[in-house]
């Protein structure tokens, strides 16, 4: 039968593939005797066709136009009448079912991913949102805000966790209220000491510098004032002095009427506790000057104070009973600090420190005031007045102290004549600055001159506080 275009068309309908019949002439050129391919594709096929690659009817890829064809070559005859039938299928058409399946799978994947995202969002709203609320609540508590509770609106484990968290916040708020109240009743350092340890009666020995300060003539200062006015005056005064104490690392142990007792070196230890105390005393003089200027602007009388400082081994701890206690210090060194504060009015100075404090705080310039035996003690104590920080003293201060020390040496030796001469010279130069101190020693010299003691050792005994 004749193999022509009709044959190839019928054959294509039978096998569902494009059919091309090729024959080779004597010159080796290939010609088509019928093809179901477009004519342009047939021309491209003939121009590049040289037979099946394997020579035995194998398959290969042929690009015709912009389309690829899977090609199977079937030899019909060989030799002078070489005839081959090419069966071809478009690769894109063959892949269409797979591509459709791929699109379906991709659609299923996208839909599943969308469902997953929606599910994750739903889960996160029910899980992560309450957790984030708890985190923000913890941050508020860290900043000191205990009043805003965490609300999840859930009855599951996270809801119970939020309820427990809010209960904890209320407990912390109560504890902070107690801490704040305790910090106002006692110094913050003492409050922290009491809260951080198990409260037990008793104490331990350690070296502490004790500072006492008191208002001179407080009784007369209160005359003509109502209790409310007196309280307002004291509160303003205490605020100024407490600020100086705390700025130098000291703690207020207690307020005793118009007096203040402060500690340096307990409960927080400092290697320079004595220097901090002396610096505080000098700072109190500056702060009191500001307070008095404010009082003067309101027509009030100025305040004068005395400050006594002593450094010694004392017992520091909780004193009292099992149900009511007070963190404080006790010991002979505490009593001496109180006695030194009482001596300030005798010498006309604001601050009096003991010899132990002077030795523990060598970074100040001191003026020795006296060698005294205070009430309740048998051992004499050298007392000093701090003048200025070392290195900041005026040039004439050295000459002034040398003149005073020469007088004091004569006085201690019992050389009344030389002591009178030294005191007179000192009074001539510095009489206005140390009027009370000079008057005190003039009176003593007159007493010693009138009745010289047989066992004079330079110690003056005070029988009153």
């Amino acid at each position: 039968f004749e193999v022509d275009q009709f044959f190839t068309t019928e054959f294509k309908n039978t096998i569902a593939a494009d059919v091309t019949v090729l024959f080779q002439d004597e010159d080796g050129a290939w010609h088509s005797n019928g093809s179901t391919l477009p004519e342009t594709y047939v021309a491209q096929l003939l121009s590049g066709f040289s037979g099946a690659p394997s020579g035995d009817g194998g398959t290969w890829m042929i690009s015709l136009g912009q389309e690829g064809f899977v090609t199977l070559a079937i030899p019909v005859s060989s030799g002078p009448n070489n005839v081959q039938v090419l069966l071809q299928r478009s690769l894109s058409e063959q892949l269409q079912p797979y591509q459709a399946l791929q699109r379906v799978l991709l659609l299923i994947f996208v839909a599943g991913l969308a469902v997953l995202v929606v599910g994750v969002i739903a889960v996160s709203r029910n899980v992560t949102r309450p957790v984030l609320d708890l985190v923000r609540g913890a941050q508020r508590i860290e900043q000191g805000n205990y009043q805003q509770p965490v609300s999840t609106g859930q009855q599951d484990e996270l809801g119970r966790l939020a309820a427990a968290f809010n209960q904890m916040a209320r407990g912390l708020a109560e504890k902070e209220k107690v801490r704040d109240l305790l910090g106002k009743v006692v110094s913050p350092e003492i409050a922290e000491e009491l809260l951080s340890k198990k409260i037990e009666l008793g104490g331990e020995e350690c070296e502490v510098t004790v500072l006492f300060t008191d208002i001179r003539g407080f009784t007369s200062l209160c005359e003509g004032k109502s209790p409310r006015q007196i309280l307002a005056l004291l509160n303003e005064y205490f605020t100024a002095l407490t600020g100086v104490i705390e700025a130098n690392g000291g703690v207020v142990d207690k307020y005793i009427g118009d007096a203040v007792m402060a500690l340096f070196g307990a409960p927080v230890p400092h290697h320079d506790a004595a220097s901090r105390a002396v610096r505080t005393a000098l700072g109190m003089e500056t702060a009191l000057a500001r307070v008095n200027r404010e009082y003067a602007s309101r027509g009030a009388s100025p305040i004068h104070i005395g400050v006594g400082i002593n450094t010694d081994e004392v017992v520091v701890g909780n004193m009292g009973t099992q149900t009511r206690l007070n963190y404080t210090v006790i010991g002979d060194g505490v009593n001496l600090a109180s006695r030194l504060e009482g001596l300030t009015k005798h010498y006309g100075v604001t601050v009096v420190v003991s010899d132990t404090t002077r030795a523990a705080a060598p970074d100040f310039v001191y003026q020795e005031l006296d060698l005294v035996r205070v009430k309740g003690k048998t051992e004499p104590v050298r007392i000093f007045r701090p003048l200025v920080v070392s290195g900041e003293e005026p040039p004439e201060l050295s000459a002034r102290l040398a003149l005073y020390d020469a007088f004091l040496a004569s006085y201690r030796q019992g050389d009344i004549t030389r002591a009178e001469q030294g005191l007179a010279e000192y009074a001539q130069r510095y009489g206005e600055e140390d009027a009370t101190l000079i008057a005190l020693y003039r009176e003593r010299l007159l007493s010693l001159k009138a009745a010289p003691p047989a066992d004079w050792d330079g110690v003056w005994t005070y029988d009153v506080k």
Side-chain angles (χ1 to χ4, degrees):
F1 56 89
E2 184 179 359
V3 178
D4 55 7
Q5 186 67 32
F6 176 79
F7 169 81
T8 57
T9 302
E10 289 295 324
F11 198 25
K12 174 181 179 181
N13 294 333
T14 302
I15 65 174
D18 287 303
V19 180
T20 302
V21 180
L22 300 178
F23 66 92
Q24 192 176 26
D25 59 16
E26 297 178 352
D27 298 330
W30 289 91
H31 302 275
S32 173
N33 202 43
S35 177
T36 59
L37 293 173
E39 293 183 1
T40 56
Y41 285 3
V42 174
Q44 292 181 22
L45 177 62
L46 293 175
S47 64
F49 186 74
S50 60
S54 61
D56 56 356
T59 60
W60 75 101
M61 287 293 300
I62 295 178
S63 295
L64 300 177
Q66 301 298 325
E67 191 173 358
F69 287 84
V70 180
T71 303
L72 172 65
I74 302 176
V76 176
S77 66
S78 59
N81 297 314
N82 188 5
V83 178
Q84 292 191 9
V85 177
L86 302 183
L87 304 181
Q88 296 175 299
R89 286 182 177 177
S90 172
L91 182 61
S92 61
E93 291 180 1
Q94 298 303 312
L95 291 179
Q96 282 180 358
Y98 302 100
Q99 292 173 345
L101 178 61
Q102 186 181 41
R103 288 192 293 271
V104 171
L105 293 176
L106 180 61
L107 181 61
I108 294 174
F109 172 75
V110 172
L113 182 62
V115 172
L116 178 62
V117 170
V118 173
V120 169
I121 293 175
V123 171
S124 67
R125 288 182 176 178
N126 292 325
V127 177
T128 61
R129 181 180 55 80
V131 172
L132 292 176
D133 290 341
L134 288 169
V135 171
R136 286 189 287 269
Q139 291 172 343
R140 288 194 298 270
I141 289 179
E142 183 181 11
Q143 297 168 359
N145 181 8
Y146 304 96
Q147 307 305 320
Q148 187 174 349
V150 176
S151 176
T152 62
Q154 299 177 202
Q155 302 300 322
D156 54 6
E157 290 81 359
L158 289 173
R160 292 193 293 272
L161 177 61
F165 183 89
N166 293 331
Q167 182 65 28
M168 179 197 69
R170 287 190 291 271
L172 290 174
E174 291 296 326
K175 183 177 180 180
E176 188 65 25
K177 186 182 297 183
V178 172
R179 181 189 295 270
D180 183 64
L181 180 61
L182 185 61
K184 292 179 180 179
V185 175
V186 298
S187 294
E189 292 83 358
I190 295 179
E192 188 65 30
E193 175 78 9
L194 294 175
L195 291 172
S196 62
K197 297 180 179 180
K198 182 179 179 180
I199 299 180
E200 297 178 346
L201 292 177
E204 57 182 359
E205 290 188 6
C206 62
E207 184 176 276
V208 174
T209 299
V210 183
L211 181 149
F212 268 96
T213 180
D214 196 2
I215 297 178
R216 295 179 189 163
F218 182 69
T219 302
S220 60
L221 188 67
C222 294
E223 292 181 359
K225 293 183 177 65
S226 66
R228 185 179 298 274
Q229 290 175 320
I230 297 172
L231 183 60
L233 180 146
L234 282 177
N235 289 338
E236 188 173 355
Y237 161 75
F238 284 146
T239 299
L241 266 61
T242 301
V244 179
I245 293 171
E246 294 179 348
N248 288 284
V251 298
V252 175
D253 180 272
K254 59 176 66 71
Y255 298 102
I256 313 168
D258 60 314
V260 181
M261 176 181 171
L263 308 178
F264 294 84
V268 181
H270 296 291
H271 69 280
D272 58 343
S275 295
R276 291 171 180 264
V278 176
R279 192 177 300 112
T280 298
L282 297 179
M284 284 180 173
E285 294 184 276
T286 304
L288 186 62
R290 291 196 299 268
V291 172
N292 282 334
R293 285 195 295 269
E294 180 64 25
Y295 287 166
S297 66
R298 301 199 298 258
S301 302
I303 289 178
H304 301 285
I305 65 172
V307 181
I309 304 175
N310 181 45
T311 303
D312 202 352
E313 289 283 338
V314 297
V315 177
V316 182
N318 299 313
M319 318 297 171
T321 67
Q322 293 290 348
T323 58
R324 187 175 182 86
L325 53 84
N326 180 32
Y327 183 91
T328 187
V329 297
I330 59 174
D332 187 57
V334 181
N335 299 329
L336 179 58
S338 177
R339 298 289 189 270
L340 297 182
E341 182 276 321
L343 293 181
T344 56
K345 57 180 177 292
H346 295 286
Y347 297 90
V349 297
T350 302
V351 185
V352 172
V353 304
S354 66
D355 191 24
T356 55
T357 298
R358 180 197 63 82
D363 44 348
F364 296 90
V365 177
Y366 298 88
Q367 178 183 15
E368 184 175 357
L369 296 176
D370 205 352
L371 180 62
V372 300
R373 185 179 292 108
V374 299
K375 182 177 176 59
K377 288 183 67 68
T378 57
E379 294 295 325
V381 179
R382 295 174 66 194
I383 59 176
F384 298 81
R385 170 174 64 167
L387 298 175
V388 69
V389 178
S390 297
E392 298 180 4
E393 62 270 22
E396 68 276 5
L397 183 59
S398 297
R400 172 183 172 181
L401 293 179
L403 182 61
Y404 177 82
D405 290 341
F407 148 73
L408 199 59
S410 300
Y411 167 78
R412 296 263 175 85
Q413 295 169 3
D415 191 342
I416 305 302
T417 302
R418 182 177 295 179
E420 287 179 331
Q421 293 173 352
L423 183 62
E425 185 177 357
Y426 184 79
Q428 183 179 2
R429 298 186 182 183
Y430 311 105
E432 295 182 1
E433 301 177 36
D434 282 342
T436 303
L437 182 63
I438 293 171
L440 172 72
Y441 275 108
R442 277 179 176 167
E443 183 177 352
R444 286 189 188 176
L445 289 175
L446 289 175
S447 175
L448 293 173
K449 191 174 183 179
D455 55 349
W456 173 247
D457 56 1
V459 178
W460 192 266
T461 301
Y462 285 95
D463 297 325
V464 295
K465 295 183 180 180

